[in-house]
Amino acid sequence: MQPIHCKFYRKMTESRLFPSSLLIFFCLTLLACSTKFNVNAPYKEENSIIGLLELHNTYQIIKIQKVFQNGAGVTASQAGLTMDSLYQVDSLDVRLSEYNQNGNQTNQVHLRKYYNTQKPSGIFASPGQYLYITPTGFVLNGNDNYVLTIYNPKTKITSQATTTVVNDISPRYPNTGAEINLSTDQQNYYPITFGVGNNAATYDVNINIPVRNYRKKDSSLISVDTLVYNVLKSYPISGPMIDNALKGYSFYYFVGGSLTPDKTVYRKMDSLDFEITGAAGDLANYVLVNTPTSGIVQNIPSYTNISNGVGIFSSRNITHIHAPLSTGAYATLVTSPVTAALNFVRP
């Protein structure tokens, strides 16, 4: 920031001034100062990083951008549409180092930069983006810690972050292929019970509900809707097990309120997809801090676990369990006043 130049000059004739005189002098000086100054501070190179290690992924992918500063006469939204504003022109030296529980390094791999063309459109440049990917054959060890190091050979700038790896759950209810018994009775519950994975701090449980829509007159498939019903959100771990439940009546009311009745179509519901996501501690904190606030105070603090950078480098573990509604539960879907107008038919 440039210094503020004052236009106030005064010859001091008294050797001593009372405190009140000093206060008046100071206030007049502030009022006479120029208010012209640069909003932008000198540019400082800083990496913006998003990377979530997943135990069973074939490849681990890290997104690395640079924190940019728009120039004079260019808005931030305009600069965000320029690839050079978002990514380093030169390739970075990106390494993933593995350390065992004793703190000894057991492996290290270099990540390769590649150009991906599947970025959704938005306020930033698309559909292209630069990502960094682990080499073929690299496998995470669920018992080890991982250090991400990003080095710019040209500027000598280094960013670094560390995470543990979230391990698999031990499912009890639901289980793949086991029928889900639900009814509209308010006392009806289906258990959601599983052993937590090592290094997980919180869990989300969502049910993806696939609905196929058919045209009545010719039985042709028109579309497939996937409804997402949230059972648990950022549920903190307090022991070795998560023991919760799906309320039957809430499930049917959710389906009934999510679809529009249409006399020209009939519908079928496929097996439910229970998506159980465990988040490591840093990721859980990042999500918590960035959750929109509903209170009066709207100032949101920033959170990052990146040394000399911003963003998040952490781990998650996603488990999918597919289970169908039981015969009785499906009959309720077809006949219940809550969902009967949606024209579900038995598969």
Side-chain angles (χ1 to χ4, degrees):
M1 181 179 295
Q2 293 182 347
I4 300 176
H5 299 286
C6 296
K7 298 180 180 178
F8 182 86
Y9 300 91
R10 179 171 179 146
K11 181 178 179 180
M12 299 296 294
T13 57
E14 300 292 336
S15 59
R16 290 182 296 177
L17 294 173
F18 290 104
S20 59
S21 300
L22 287 173
L23 178 61
I24 294 171
F25 175 83
F26 180 68
C27 293
L28 289 174
T29 302
L30 288 178
L31 292 173
C33 290
S34 170
T35 58
K36 295 180 180 180
F37 61 94
N38 286 336
V39 175
N40 283 341
Y43 177 73
K44 175 187 176 182
E45 180 180 332
E46 198 169 34
N47 291 314
S48 175
I49 299 161
I50 297 178
L52 298 178
L53 302 184
E54 295 189 45
L55 185 59
H56 301 296
N57 278 6
T58 304
Y59 297 97
Q60 307 300 324
I61 298 175
I62 309 295
K63 184 171 185 176
I64 305 170
Q65 295 180 273
K66 62 180 181 180
V67 177
F68 68 88
Q69 183 179 46
N70 49 295
V74 180
T75 65
S77 58
Q78 290 171 331
L81 295 174
T82 306
M83 293 289 287
D84 287 348
S85 297
L86 305 178
Y87 303 96
Q88 295 290 352
V89 176
D90 301 316
S91 293
L92 302 170
D93 181 358
V94 182
R95 305 183 185 192
L96 193 59
S97 304
E98 179 181 306
Y99 292 84
N100 62 23
Q101 296 300 306
N102 296 323
N104 299 319
Q105 183 174 322
T106 55
N107 192 14
Q108 184 182 85
V109 293
H110 288 76
L111 277 67
R112 173 179 58 85
K113 181 180 180 181
Y114 80 101
Y115 186 69
N116 176 276
T117 58
Q118 299 177 359
K119 181 181 181 295
S121 60
I123 61 174
F124 294 107
S126 61
Q129 60 181 334
Y130 288 105
L131 302 172
Y132 285 81
I133 187 169
T134 52
T136 301
F138 173 74
V139 178
L140 291 177
N141 186 326
N143 298 315
D144 289 350
N145 300 319
Y146 288 86
V147 177
L148 175 69
T149 303
I150 300 166
Y151 175 70
N152 188 332
K154 186 175 181 179
T155 62
K156 313 301 181 185
I157 299 295
T158 300
S159 300
Q160 198 167 65
T162 303
T163 189
T164 55
V165 176
V166 178
N167 282 237
D168 296 327
I169 65 170
S170 301
R172 292 191 180 179
Y173 302 100
N175 236 317
T176 299
E179 291 187 339
I180 308 298
N181 295 305
L182 295 173
S183 74
T184 55
D185 184 343
Q186 294 202 9
Q187 302 304 315
N188 174 251
Y189 295 87
Y190 181 84
I192 305 292
T193 306
F194 56 89
V196 303
N198 290 340
N199 303 321
T202 62
Y203 274 94
D204 286 0
V205 177
N206 292 319
I207 304 176
N208 301 315
I209 308 170
V211 177
R212 288 178 287 146
N213 305 294
Y214 296 87
R215 186 179 290 109
K216 275 187 176 180
K217 65 179 182 180
D218 58 9
S219 297
S220 60
L221 179 64
I222 302 172
S223 61
V224 178
D225 296 319
T226 300
L227 313 179
V228 181
Y229 180 75
N230 177 247
V231 182
L232 299 177
K233 182 70 174 178
S234 297
Y235 190 85
I237 293 172
S238 58
M241 299 288 296
I242 297 288
D243 191 2
N244 211 277
L246 168 63
K247 300 175 183 178
Y249 73 93
S250 294
F251 173 83
Y252 289 110
Y253 272 95
F254 171 77
V255 174
S258 300
L259 297 171
T260 302
D262 186 343
K263 294 181 179 180
T264 67
V265 304
Y266 66 88
R267 295 179 165 106
K268 293 182 180 180
M269 183 180 293
D270 295 330
S271 291
L272 307 182
D273 172 22
F274 289 79
E275 183 178 273
I276 303 173
T277 303
D282 283 319
L283 177 57
N285 291 334
Y286 184 83
V287 171
L288 177 64
V289 168
N290 287 281
T291 299
T293 176
S294 59
I296 297 175
V297 179
Q298 295 294 312
N299 292 330
I300 300 176
S302 59
Y303 178 87
T304 181
N305 68 337
I306 310 295
S307 171
N308 196 28
V310 296
I312 184 70
F313 174 65
S314 190
S315 176
R316 67 181 178 182
N317 189 301
I318 303 176
T319 301
H320 289 271
I321 298 174
H322 296 271
L325 289 176
S326 67
T327 301
Y330 206 99
T332 300
L333 181 69
V334 174
T335 61
S336 167
V338 179
T339 53
L342 300 176
N343 297 330
F344 278 98
V345 299
R346 290 178 174 81

